[in-house]
């Protein structure tokens, strides 16, 4: 319970502001411009544009081929028929090569676009302290892994397919509008002895037909944007719940919590299935429009041109040529109709990725409060706290003494009642939590090592774990074996080069002991510990203190915890108190257009 109370300050209220499409597009554009693969993307885009232009020229040639081919059929001219088949083979062969080249370029753009987006998100996320602050910014910081991995990949795929498709449609439209205008310039309608010529008749018919269908498709398909965004959020919650159950299977089994875990998973699955049902309903409604439009399109160009054909003003080959040009123009214009579902999906995915990127940019200025803790450097090499108050939504955490100085070589025990905010105070010294007032003076030229309750053990070999962030030459096998034996983990000496998930293979106490061994190898001059020593029993604690005495002789050691004050090792004691009457931290403002989990889900995640 004390741990829960001590961590409550890390969950802050967040006021969500909607970001606009312009903000989202501008954010992604800035990320791509700054990407190391931007030149590759640029030249690949130029290449695919050249291929599409060449393809459109081939399509125009293929359309012109229609008239002599069908006229040869109408005349039953075998020689002309065979000649046109040869012409067709040449045109089709060229288009085949261009299509394969376009497919390859499409895949390369998709690959490099994902690389650029994901590298940018990882870079922004891994800026000092950002991941921590974002995780405490509310719903926008939940499940960042999905936004960087799945959403970024999906956005890359959709952007490439939609972008290339739109470019191709625009080039084909420009290529065939002139052809269709010229073909329909001679169309004359004869009505009761009157002759009516409409310049570019089939062009206007194609625009009117496709425009009407596009408008109807947008009206029906627009809800898919919010529905897709909601689905991705629910999918992330389900995956998060499954991972959480998998990581706690031992505790679930011991407490016979399978029924509760099953109920939680079924509840999250139900929200996913509900979101999918809503999407399927919207897609069916959209299909009524697009499928009806598709069937009408089969005969629409012939119906449009038939009055002129039956009046005898064009030949059968001319009719087929006009129908082919109409279909090309119409195909370009109906790009929006064909892709309305993908556009809605793209818009939802863009919203999630861009809002996450925006939140990463804004997390450094997250709160409206102007009260910030001041950090300074002490030339005399001491650590000082001057009227320090650490702000949280519940109030302020502070030391009982307003003026505190800790000199090099001091050993200090800082204690406090449950819920006083000891972990918050630890994070403030580390610079993770800058909100509050007062001043922290750091020893100039010194590196402070911060030890959390459970040490960070990166994935890799045990040797890499022990040498993590060493700052000097890696330790020898003999030194590593010696410190492992001192903490009672000598069995690990034979596993130095084995890759493993050490945070899973080792128990909590063993992980803490491994953290102590890492300290012994690094031998820092300043160490600040957050409750990591409270979990050790009597013999283990004596062993750890003996190790610190041996390897960190002369180092400054500050232990923040709730354990009893060990006056032999920590001759000086300080007390953390809670000042509930002090001004609390104001809500944060994060721009977010995506639908995120409800507050209950955020607290459960924490």
């Amino acid at each position: 319970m004390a741990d829960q109370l001590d961590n409550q300050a890390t969950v802050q209220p967040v006021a969500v502001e909607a970001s606009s499409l312009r903000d989202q597009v501008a954010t992604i554009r800035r990320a791509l411009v700054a990407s190391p693969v931007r030149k590759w993307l640029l030249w690949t885009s130029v290449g695919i544009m050249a291929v599409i232009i060449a393809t459109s020229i081939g399509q125009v040639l293929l359309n012109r081929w229609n008239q002599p081919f069908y006229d040869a059929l109408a005349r039953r001219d075998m020689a002309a028929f065979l000649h046109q088949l040869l012409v067709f083979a040449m045109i089709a062969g060229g288009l085949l090569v261009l299509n394969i080249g376009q497919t390859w370029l499409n895949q390369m753009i998709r690959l490099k676009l994902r690389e650029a987006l994901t590298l940018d998100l990882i870079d922004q996320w891994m800026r000092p302290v950002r991941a921590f602050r974002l995780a405490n910014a509310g719903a926008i910081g939940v499940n960042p892994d999905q936004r960087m991995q799945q959403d970024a990949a999906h956005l890359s795929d959709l952007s490439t397919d939609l972008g290339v498709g739109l470019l191709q449609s625009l080039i084909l439209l420009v290529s065939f509008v002139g052809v269709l205008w010229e073909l329909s310039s001679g169309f004359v309608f004869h009505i009761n002895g009157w002759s009516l010529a409409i310049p570019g008749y089939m062009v206007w018919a194609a625009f009117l037909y496709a425009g009407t269908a596009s408008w109807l498709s947008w009206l029906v398909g627009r809800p898919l944007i919010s529905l897709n965004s909601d689905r991705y959020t629910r999918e992330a919650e389900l995956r998060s719940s499954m991972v959480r159950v998998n990581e706690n299977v031992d505790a679930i089994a011991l407490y016979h919590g399978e029924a509760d875990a099953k109920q939680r998973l079924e509840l999250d699955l139900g929200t996913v299935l509900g979101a999918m049902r809503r999407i399927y309903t919207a897609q069916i409604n959209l299909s009524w429009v697009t499928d009806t439009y598709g069937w009408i399109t089969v005969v629409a160009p012939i119906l449009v041109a038939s009055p002129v054909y039956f009046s005898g003003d064009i030949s059968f080959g001319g009719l087929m040529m006009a129908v082919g040009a109409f279909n090309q123009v119409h195909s370009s214009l109906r790009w929006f109709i064909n892709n309305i579902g993908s556009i809605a999906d793209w818009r939802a995915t863009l919203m999630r990725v861009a809002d996450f990127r925006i939140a990463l940019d804004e997390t450094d200025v997250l709160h409206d409060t102007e009260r910030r803790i001041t950090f300074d450097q002490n030339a005399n090499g001491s650590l000082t706290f001057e009227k320090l108050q650490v702000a949280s939504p519940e109030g302020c955490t502070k030391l009982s003494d307003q003026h505190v100085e800790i000199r090099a070589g001091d050993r200090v025990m800082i204690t406090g009642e449950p819920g006083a905010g000891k972990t918050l105070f630890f994070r403030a010294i580390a610079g993770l939590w800058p909100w509050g007032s007062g001043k922290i003076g750091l020893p100039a030229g010194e590196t402070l090592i911060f030890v959390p309750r459970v040490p960070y053990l990166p994935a890799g070999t045990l040797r890499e774990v022990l040498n993590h962030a060493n700052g000097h030459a890696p330790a020898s096998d003999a030194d590593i074996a010696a410190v492992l034996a001192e903490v009672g983990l000598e069995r690990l000496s034979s596993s130095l080069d084995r890759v493993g998930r050490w945070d899973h293979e080792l128990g909590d106490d063993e992980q803490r002991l491994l953290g102590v061994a890492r300290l012994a190898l690094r031998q820092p001059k300043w160490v600040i510990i957050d409750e990591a020593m409270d979990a050790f029993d009597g013999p283990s604690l004596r062993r750890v203190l003996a190790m610190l005495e041996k390897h960190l002789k002369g180092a400054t050691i500050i232990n923040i915890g709730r354990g009893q004050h060990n006056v032999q090792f920590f001759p000086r004691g300080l007390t953390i108190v809670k000042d509930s009457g002090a001004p609390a931290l104001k809500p944060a403002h994060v721009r977010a257009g995506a639908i995120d989990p409800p507050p209950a889900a955020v607290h459960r995640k924490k």
Side-chain angles (χ1 to χ4, degrees), residues 404-420:
V404 174
E405 181 178 14
I406 300 174
R407 296 186 176 275
D410 287 353
R411 294 174 181 173
V412 183
M413 181 76 181
I414 302 178
T415 59
E417 295 293 329

Side-chain angles (χ1 to χ4, degrees), residues 92-137:
L95 289 175
L96 175 62
V97 173
L98 290 172
N99 287 340
I100 293 175
Q102 181 176 331
T103 301
W104 182 83
L105 289 170
N106 185 301
Q107 292 171 342
M108 291 301 101
I109 291 177
R110 183 180 304 183
L111 181 67
K112 288 298 181 180
L113 186 58
R114 180 180 181 181
E115 179 182 354
L117 286 177
T118 307
L119 284 177
D120 174 76
L121 291 175
I122 292 174
D123 175 69
Q124 294 296 321
W125 189 49
M126 286 290 99
R127 296 285 176 92
V129 191
R130 273 192 176 180
F132 168 80
R133 292 180 182 171
L134 186 71
N136 296 305

Side-chain angles (χ1 to χ4, degrees), residues 455-474:
Y456 170 58
L457 306 180
T461 66
L462 186 61
R463 186 189 307 277
E464 292 171 340
V465 170
L466 289 169
N467 286 319
H468 177 68
N470 247 355
H472 51 71

Side-chain angles (χ1 to χ4, degrees), residues 5-50:
L5 291 172
D6 217 17
N7 283 327
Q8 280 180 355
T10 64
V11 180
Q12 307 166 48
V14 176
V16 178
E17 299 176 356
S19 61
S20 66
L21 176 61
R22 183 176 63 179
D23 291 336
Q24 294 162 7
V25 172
T27 297
I28 299 300
R29 182 186 61 81
R30 286 195 301 270
L32 295 179
V33 168
S35 172
V37 300
R38 62 184 180 277
K39 290 184 179 179
W40 207 102
L41 276 172
L42 176 62
W43 285 112
T44 309
S45 300
V46 171
I48 203 167
M49 181 179 295

